[in-house]
Amino acid sequence: MASPRPSPSSPSNFVGLVSKSRRIARRRIGLRSSRGGSSSSAARAVLQFEKSDVSSSSKEENRRRSKSNPKVANLEDIISERGACGVGFIANLENKASHEIVKDALTALGCMEHRGGCGADNDSGDGSGVMTSIPWDLFNNWADKQGLASLDKLHTGVGMIFLPQDDSSMKEAKKVITDIFVQEGLEVLGWRPVPVNASIVGYYAKETMPNIQQVFVQIPKEENIDDIERELYICRKLIERSTKSEKWADALYFCSLSNQTIVYKGMLRSEVLGQFYYDLQSELFKSSFAIYHRRYSTNTSPRWPLAQPMRFLGHNGEINTIQGNLNWMQSRETSLKSPVWRGRENEIRPFGNPRASDSANLDSAAELLIRSGRTPEEALMILVPEAYQNHPTLMIKYPEVLDFYNYYSGQMEAWDGPALLLFSDGKTVGATLDRNGLRPARYWRTLDNVVYVASEVGVLPMDESKVTMKGRLGPGMMIAVDLESGQVYENTEVKKKVALLNPYGKWLNESMRSIKPANFLSALEMDNEAILRNQQAFGYSSEDVQMVIESMAAQGKEPTFCMGDDIPLAVLSQKPHMLYDYFKQRFAQVTNPAIDPLREGLVMSLEVRIGKRRNILEVGPENASQVTLSSPVLNERELESLMKDPYLKPQVLPTFFDIRKGADGSLEKALQRLCEAADDAVRSGCQLLVLSDRSELLEPTRPAIPILLAVGSVHQHLIQNGLRMSASIVADTAQCFSTHHFACLIGYGASAICPHLALETCRQWRLSNKTVNLMRNGKMPTVTIEQAQKNFCKAVKSGLLKILSKMGISLLSSYCGAQIFEIYGLGSEVVDLAFCGSVSSIGGLTLDELARETMSFWVKAFSEDTAKRLENFGFIQSRPGGEYHGNNPEMSKLLHKAVRQKSESAFSVYQQHLANRPLNVLRDLVEFKSDRPSIPVGKVESAVSIVQRFCTGGMSLGAISRETHEAIAIAMNRLGGKSNSGEGGEDPIRWKPLTDVVDGYSPTLPHLKGLQNGDTATSAIKQVASGRFGVTPTFLVNAEQLEIKIAQGAKPGEGGQLPGKKVSAYIARLRNSKPGVPLISPPPHHDIYSIEDLAQLIFDLHQVNPKAKVSVKLVAEAGIGTVASGVAKGNADIIQISGHDGGTGASPISSIKHAGGPWELGLTETHQTLIANGLRERVILRVDGGFKSGVDVLMAAVMGADEYGFGSVAMIATGCVMARICHTNNCPVGVASQREELRARFPGVPGDLVNYFLYVAEEVRGILAQLGYEKLDDVIGRTDLFRPRHIPLMKTQHLDLSYILFSVGLPKWSSTAIRNQEAHSNGVVLDDILLSDPEISDAIVHEKVVSKTIKIYNVDRAVCGRLAGAIAKKYGDTGFAGQLNITFLGSAGQSFACFLTGGMNIRLVGEANDYVGKGMAGGEIVVKPVDVTGFCPEEATIVGNTCLYGATGGQLFVRGKAGERFAVRNSLAEAVVEGTGDHCCEYMTGGCVVVIGKAGRNIAAGMTGGLAYILDEDDTLIPKVNKEIVKIQRVTAPAGQLQLKSLIEAHVEKTGSGKGSTILKEWEKYLPLFWQFVPPSEEDTPEASADFEKAAASQVSLQSA
């Protein structure tokens, strides 16, 4: 059934690459999957799709129905399409068309292959394509042969069309197209079937391959190019509209329809694009430019139309705000007007399509602006603005650019997310980068006037002496080539040109208004009784007031807590919850990075615009008539002054519902009335709707509508009626106090919130006697009543920044209305009304049930027997009578008894306790059923074999004590399971088995008891987290498995933090940091900004340790299946799914409670998506989150998991008593503390944990025997063994479990076969060739000196990684006494010289891409250009972004500039470089960096150790420094001057740097121009302190005295 595949040596693979054929041949083998089962898996597609269509047919029906009326973008549509990629363009500045340019583009595309993804058949690429100018010679030649007149270039449009496959549909489609052209007055000159070679298309791609044809039309009545393009655009829109109800609608797609450009693309691997389309091989195909693109779609079955380039753009990245952007574009449709359309605006709607990819939607927004008369550069500056606020250069030199951005920020919410965008309308070609600079973009220009831009350097063979300029695009930068004039405009020139088109600054000054911050109230508005009544009515608990509001008022930051969220989901709980508790925040993982709101806050903003957003197609002063707020958090006086604005005509809409006639239907009626009132207000000119639940006196029969429901309903109603752009919504509410509440309100449409009851609560707290006394006695820092409220608002704002940043969104304006949430427990009635487009996969409450829950709070405020103080619901802390907690003191006592006494009866009491608990998690709603008789337990696989599937959680040594960490590891090694090192390295003493145990004690590990000879304390799974603490080559080569921790269940999308008091000398040694200095892991891995970056890190780890399996840890959320497919394609061996209920050492309360989803849904989605994509056999699925028993294990197995992770419960078994104070370092039993005296109390022995896991395994055996199955393999993925449990829920009977019960079939292989396969291979790599060289292998074995020179290409990635691994395995990080001197010539691929060890001296003559020297521990890297260059070396960018990430030693010398985030998280390496991008030295904890050129913004953010020296020749450095931690001073200490000078001397000697030798020649002149960056931990070192030597001298004299 599978299509025949080209053998690795077949000639079709080598077109255009002959020169490198030998090298490519050895590499080709690596592109095939190293699996036996891959070609057979292609056959399963056919069987699979028949099954999966059953469920999707009803979805299709719904979609078709919803296509007709305007509906909000649906998250399910959006998350099923994600992609990332490699891109580039080539443009001839003389506008000379040639076939060479097309050939070069195809060659470059072939060198991008590793940036793309392949389907399960390894032959269908995810898509590649090129956009060029129209090859008129080729088409005239065709016309001539057809006997047609030659084409009139000025008046002919060419359409490249994907048509339906089957003949009759194709004919229908062509007829519709022809009819519309004719009706528009265009003449169809002819159809040309595009000649293709279908034999080289992969199996999946062939299934969906369209019929590809070109249409030629004549536009007689227009003369101007823009009008011709507009006419063609209208035709295309009319065709799309008139075919959308046809059954073949999805099969018709215009790649392009234009008089200027044409797009050839398809679901093809990049290297076969040129062989597929014969046109591209023709010498007659000439173009003066080409944009090329290679797609890596995380999704399954990429569709042909989603290949890129699109019609204007090639996009590499991910738009995170897409749902909001689509909603706002739809809301705009009614207001968009422009004279250029001559009244035909209605015919070109809609402007967005939720079912297309994010790139396609960005493309159509850009297309609309460009066709309406904007230039491409202006359109992209509007859609993807740079981070212009507080930008030192723009503020001083280019104020008009600031005005431009300011003007448009109120018109268009930014399309935010990592993006390298290449664009062309045929007259201009250009590229721009997102505001964070999260994708690589390099450019270069040659003597023969060609400009190149690409994701990587080295994609084309170049003669370096002809290159006249080399650079990179930094964050928010743009480069544009005007093909007609031959000018190249670099960043500021482009922007200045666009910004000066209109007097934006004047318009802003005339029309823009801003609300000045007003003082907070200083007295209470209500008496204490009224406050209490309000708090009860709106659902506050005493925990909310004390742990959240008061703590924020006192400290100005969000409260932290620890352990996980172990209470039931709101919908399962027996306690009433606020509506917000049904929402979980979404977060970025893999396809785009979270942002760091603390260290990189300069790209973020909470600014809000209030008022009407007018027609964006017209420019004029009236568009600037809005009010600016600096943040969405308003106090009472600010709200008042907003209400007084003369132009807004504000209206207050009270949000209450009336229950006098009974509760049923009352809420729905009230919402209808509210929406109608809003509608009337807006139609009569109101631009500000204030939804308010404030009232003088609360009435028992008029409860307040939950404000989130009110805001959502009005927002959705206005969108659907085309009124949303005319007014802003502000909530004036009592029911909002935590950051999550603010985020929900903003995400569902509110522009600002005045939390009046929360502010009143702050004032009440400050004025209470208790607080006054505490402050008076010095038990609490003194704050004024003003300060308390300011603190509360400050905490909310920083919390909001953090929630935005989890999703990788920088601007509140893009987050507003973007609905970045998932819903657990609300039914479709509620969702469709107020939260339309959000995913709610298990259904839940109806409006009436929601009304009852709201009333249960309200009633409390009026009943006689309510206590005179707030109730404690026990949602955060476990307490008697409060909410049920899964990890409760009773449970831990029962468990301790069972494992310490090794008593089976005690363990069955523990099981009984779990069986009788209240409903707690989703899996409690299903139970097992069997189709077989039970069997004796003796026949079931042994407990010894079951425990090998068990793992413990990734708890870092630092968060927990050394005793706990080692006891868990020893226990897992005894069982043959796996423990996890967590973040922070591992002590090598733990890697050898113990041989010195006497009476359970060993002098090697003297702090442990209960040991046996032969125990090993090593962790089989070693973690690579975003801080890279302790990740050294030796650490990596000693691992059995390597886990990349993308997210953590308790706080997905956030970084970790180890408080300074937990960083003891021992911990600091393992992590290469300073004792007592807090350690921060960044929220994103700085080398994983997209799916292809993750594939690269997996490649790096397989490179350094080819035997270790690599696992990727994800957290459950809707869309995780799509992400997991991408991870599986990225060559991971294991995917771990964590639930939201995982534990943590310390995390903000709102993150523990409100982010991430249940693992049951995440696991189900992942398992099913992988099966549907034929990828399930490639990966082991592991799951963790709240596991406590054998029942949990078997449930997870039936849902599809192969391995099972235990976190908190493993700690409990070794002695944890659930005191829930891990974050304080005061753990009473020494489990989670670094304090010596507490660690001495640690009660656990490895045997306790061994007993626990054997009991769990026995429980699994018992259940298997009852069900009649002999081994776990037989039940994994068998969801037919589930049935719903019939248990009445308190809140609703409308939960829908079909999602968990649904089955898409089973994997081809058994779980054991999947678990037993070898680690995936990187294929044949350059390192293998080096290692097979007898001289090199001999030098490694006998520690000799060897020198070699070899050529390198950009497809050679992670070079030297495997050599370093081989050395580290034998000698450790620094023990190698030989020398490998290897010189490489050419352009190195990503991760060049990663994980180097001492003794490796690596030279690169040429250039390199991202991640040079990642994780290096020793040795030396020298990167320099060739001797004869056409460019000036110190001005050229020669290495990429994120170099030296997590380095722990060694030296790097670069003659030229580096990209963004140079030396991020560097621990000990030394480096000299001649210029860097933004965020240089971020998070550095040691080492020394010298920059002898310009550096970008935000230098030394989060830098807690090490020193940096940066040359400042023109006095522009100071505003670019992040002054939060470091102080900067001139280099005055003699030791510092010496350090600086000797590093520059070494740099000159090794690289021949011209700039360096100038500095040394004129040392007296240059030394005073250097700044030294000194973090507090380095202030007393001799290098940083000028009086260090004096101080040292005086100490000596004291001692002698």
Side-chain angles (χ1 to χ4, degrees), residues 1106-1147:
K1107 292 204 170 57
K1109 291 189 177 182
V1110 175
S1111 78
V1112 175
K1113 178 177 174 183
L1114 305 172
V1115 174
E1117 67 175 328
I1120 189 175
T1122 304
V1123 174
S1125 307
V1127 173
K1129 288 182 188 179
N1131 226 12
D1133 303 272
I1134 302 162
I1135 295 177
Q1136 173 156 355
I1137 309 290
S1138 291
H1140 68 98
D1141 41 8
T1144 174
S1147 164

Side-chain angles (χ1 to χ4, degrees), residues 663-964:
D664 288 358
S666 57
L667 183 56
E668 190 171 5
K669 283 194 201 80
L671 286 167
Q672 275 166 354
R673 279 199 301 276
L674 180 67
C675 291
E676 280 156 22
D679 201 303
D680 296 344
V682 177
R683 287 185 199 277
S684 57
C686 158
Q687 294 187 29
L688 172 62
L689 296 170
V690 179
L691 304 185
S692 175
D693 55 26
R694 196 192 289 247
S695 91
E696 290 298 301
L697 196 64
L698 303 179
E699 300 172 38
T701 55
R702 288 189 64 229
I705 301 171
I707 191 73
L708 179 57
L709 186 66
V711 166
S713 306
V714 171
H715 174 66
Q716 298 286 353
H717 174 84
L718 294 177
I719 288 182
Q720 290 171 14
N721 288 293
L723 296 169
R724 187 63 183 90
M725 301 315 270
S726 307
S728 300
I729 300 173
V730 168
D732 174 28
T733 177
Q735 198 178 32
C736 176
F737 54 81
S738 106
T739 50
H740 175 66
H741 301 169
F742 284 91
C744 288
L745 288 170
I746 295 165
Y748 286 101
S751 296
I753 296 120
C754 172
H756 61 84
L757 185 57
L759 293 171
E760 183 79 341
T761 307
C762 292
R763 296 190 283 268
Q764 181 193 31
W765 164 78
R766 176 58 187 81
L767 294 169
S768 70
N769 294 334
K770 185 179 168 193
T771 311
V772 172
N773 288 331
L774 283 169
M775 287 182 183
R776 195 178 294 143
N777 302 334
K779 298 269 170 66
M780 181 186 278
T782 306
V783 290
T784 61
I785 191 159
E786 176 91 350
Q787 189 63 43
Q789 298 171 78
K790 212 182 226 144
N791 278 346
F792 173 79
C793 294
K794 179 182 154 202
V796 169
K797 288 174 204 169
S798 46
L800 275 173
L801 285 173
K802 196 190 65 219
I803 292 170
L804 264 67
S805 67
K806 281 183 202 181
M807 189 62 199
I809 291 176
S810 336
L811 302 176
L812 191 88
S813 52
S814 306
Y815 187 83
C816 180
Q819 307 194 4
I820 302 198
F821 295 90
E822 283 160 41
I823 303 176
Y824 293 101
L826 298 179
S828 56
E829 180 187 15
V830 181
V831 175
D832 292 347
L833 179 74
F835 312 113
C836 193
S838 294
V839 169
S840 175
S841 46
I842 54 173
L845 276 69
T846 61
L847 275 171
D848 287 340
E849 289 168 336
L850 188 57
R852 280 196 212 87
E853 184 160 32
T854 306
M855 279 149 49
S856 64
F857 286 125
W858 199 260
V859 172
K860 276 190 195 141
F862 298 99
S863 84
E864 290 303 307
D865 46 357
T866 303
K868 288 293 171 264
R869 61 169 197 273
L870 276 179
E871 192 180 338
N872 180 339
F873 300 138
F875 289 157
I876 303 176
Q877 291 273 27
S878 174
R879 57 181 301 279
E883 179 63 279
Y884 174 78
H885 281 255
N887 295 326
N888 52 52
E890 189 191 351
M891 178 212 93
S892 58
K893 282 196 192 101
L894 293 172
L895 182 59
H896 288 155
K897 188 172 174 189
V899 297
R900 287 173 189 168
Q901 299 176 357
K902 202 168 177 182
S903 138
E904 283 186 30
S905 59
F907 190 77
S908 57
V909 176
Y910 166 78
Q911 287 172 302
Q912 205 48 50
H913 167 83
L914 292 179
N916 297 338
R917 68 182 180 189
L919 279 180
N920 191 34
V921 280
L922 283 182
R923 56 185 180 277
D924 291 344
L925 298 171
V926 291
E927 59 190 5
F928 299 117
K929 65 168 201 254
S930 183
D931 47 357
R932 301 184 177 184
S934 55
I935 56 174
V937 174
K939 288 194 167 171
V940 179
E941 85 176 282
S942 68
V944 176
S945 129
I946 292 173
V947 291
Q948 291 176 8
R949 294 176 183 262
F950 293 171
C951 314
T952 53
M955 297 172 278
S956 75
L957 171 57
I960 61 176
S961 66
R962 191 175 168 183
E963 287 76 357
T964 322

Side-chain angles (χ1 to χ4, degrees), residues 1510-1515 1517 1529-1532 1537 1540 1559 1562-1572:
I1510 301 184
L1511 180 63
D1512 181 13
E1513 293 178 82
D1514 54 2
D1515 251 0
L1517 191 73
Q1529 57 190 35
R1530 293 298 184 186
V1531 190
T1532 50
Q1537 295 179 354
L1540 173 61
I1559 293 174
E1562 304 176 41
W1563 185 243
E1564 301 308 317
K1565 171 187 153 191
Y1566 278 99
L1567 178 64
L1569 298 178
F1570 276 97
W1571 288 105
Q1572 184 184 44

Side-chain angles (χ1 to χ4, degrees), residues 260-560:
Q260 296 287 309
T261 60
I262 189 162
V263 173
Y264 280 77
K265 66 183 187 181
M267 207 172 122
L268 306 158
R269 289 220 319 276
S270 44
E271 46 209 354
V272 296
L273 181 75
Q275 301 155 44
F276 177 72
Y277 285 113
Y278 289 113
D279 287 0
L280 296 176
Q281 301 167 26
S282 161
E283 290 292 331
L284 291 172
F285 195 120
K286 297 186 177 126
S287 172
S288 55
F289 79 92
I291 288 180
Y292 55 88
H293 188 287
R294 169 69 171 109
R295 183 160 189 250
Y296 186 137
S297 145
T298 42
N299 192 13
T300 26
S301 39
R303 315 204 294 267
W304 280 72
L306 292 181
Q308 294 197 39
M310 294 300 174
R311 294 160 188 136
F312 268 107
L313 301 174
H315 167 221
N316 164 9
E318 170 95 5
I319 304 292
N320 320 333
T321 50
I322 185 73
Q323 198 168 358
N325 295 126
L326 286 169
N327 288 352
W328 292 116
M329 279 312 282
Q330 187 192 318
S331 316
R332 264 188 196 97
E333 289 182 2
T334 48
S335 63
L336 291 177
K337 302 248 180 320
S338 166
V340 301
W341 294 112
R342 304 173 194 168
R344 304 190 61 182
E345 289 86 354
N346 277 341
E347 302 175 28
I348 56 177
R349 295 195 190 111
F351 306 122
N353 169 11
R355 300 188 58 202
S357 61
D358 52 350
S359 315
N361 280 300
L362 178 59
D363 185 72
S364 64
E367 186 177 33
L368 174 70
L369 289 171
I370 295 168
R371 294 289 174 246
S372 303
R374 302 298 172 89
T375 62
E377 305 93 301
E378 184 178 4
L380 283 167
M381 282 171 66
I382 294 172
L383 295 168
V384 190
E386 65 184 308
Y388 60 92
Q389 288 161 331
N390 315 322
H391 193 302
T393 334
L394 287 180
M395 279 154 66
I396 303 159
K397 296 189 183 157
Y398 304 100
E400 62 281 351
V401 178
L402 279 183
D403 294 332
F404 173 90
Y405 285 132
N406 255 322
Y407 174 84
Y408 278 108
S409 75
Q411 306 297 303
M412 169 62 80
E413 56 300 326
W415 294 60
D416 197 2
L420 166 56
L421 292 158
L422 305 187
F423 55 86
S424 177
D425 60 351
K427 298 179 291 226
T428 307
V429 186
T432 184
L433 202 56
D434 68 274
R435 62 192 305 119
N436 288 317
L438 297 174
R439 304 303 314 117
R442 306 279 284 271
Y443 61 83
W444 58 103
R445 180 178 177 172
T446 56
L447 274 175
D448 44 13
N449 270 337
V450 182
V451 173
Y452 301 82
V453 172
S455 296
E456 287 193 13
V457 290
V459 292
L460 282 170
M462 274 293 146
D463 175 351
E464 293 285 318
S465 61
K466 294 212 170 97
V467 176
T468 58
M469 160 181 103
K470 265 190 191 187
R472 58 172 237 295
L473 286 182
M477 286 188 184
M478 186 180 279
I479 180 174
V481 177
D482 182 332
L483 293 171
E484 287 161 349
S485 69
Q487 284 304 95
V488 177
Y489 296 102
E490 289 196 62
N491 190 34
T492 41
E493 304 164 297
V494 184
K495 292 182 176 160
K496 200 169 165 165
K497 198 172 71 175
V498 168
L500 291 171
L501 294 173
N502 290 300
Y504 295 113
K506 177 168 159 284
W507 293 345
L508 286 171
N509 291 338
E510 289 166 8
S511 311
M512 176 76 81
R513 310 171 303 280
S514 68
I515 295 282
K516 296 284 165 283
N519 288 334
F520 289 88
L521 302 179
S522 53
L524 287 176
E525 301 212 286
M526 303 186 263
D527 56 24
N528 282 344
E529 196 176 323
I531 295 178
L532 175 66
R533 172 165 290 183
N534 268 282
Q535 289 172 335
Q536 287 169 330
F538 286 102
Y540 287 43
S541 85
S542 62
E543 282 185 323
D544 296 328
V545 172
Q546 289 162 11
M547 294 185 75
V548 180
I549 301 176
E550 292 177 3
S551 140
M552 284 157 86
Q555 297 170 350
K557 56 179 199 279
E558 246 189 298
T560 16

Side-chain angles (χ1 to χ4, degrees), residues 1329-1401:
I1329 291 176
L1330 290 169
L1331 277 169
S1332 62
D1333 181 313
E1335 288 179 60
I1336 292 183
S1337 52
D1338 183 50
I1340 293 177
V1341 175
H1342 299 113
E1343 303 191 75
K1344 291 184 180 164
V1345 178
V1346 65
S1347 301
K1348 286 278 166 197
T1349 301
I1350 188 166
K1351 282 187 80 74
I1352 190 169
Y1353 298 87
N1354 79 307
V1355 285
D1356 295 312
R1357 297 176 293 145
V1359 171
C1360 297
R1362 192 158 291 179
L1363 286 173
I1367 293 174
K1369 188 87 182 147
K1370 201 164 161 55
Y1371 302 102
D1373 291 331
T1374 49
F1376 178 57
Q1379 261 193 4
L1380 301 186
N1381 304 315
I1382 307 180
T1383 302
F1384 294 94
L1385 309 173
S1387 300
Q1390 293 163 299
S1391 304
F1392 176 70
C1394 59
F1395 306 117
L1396 280 197
T1397 52
M1400 298 180 72
N1401 303 322

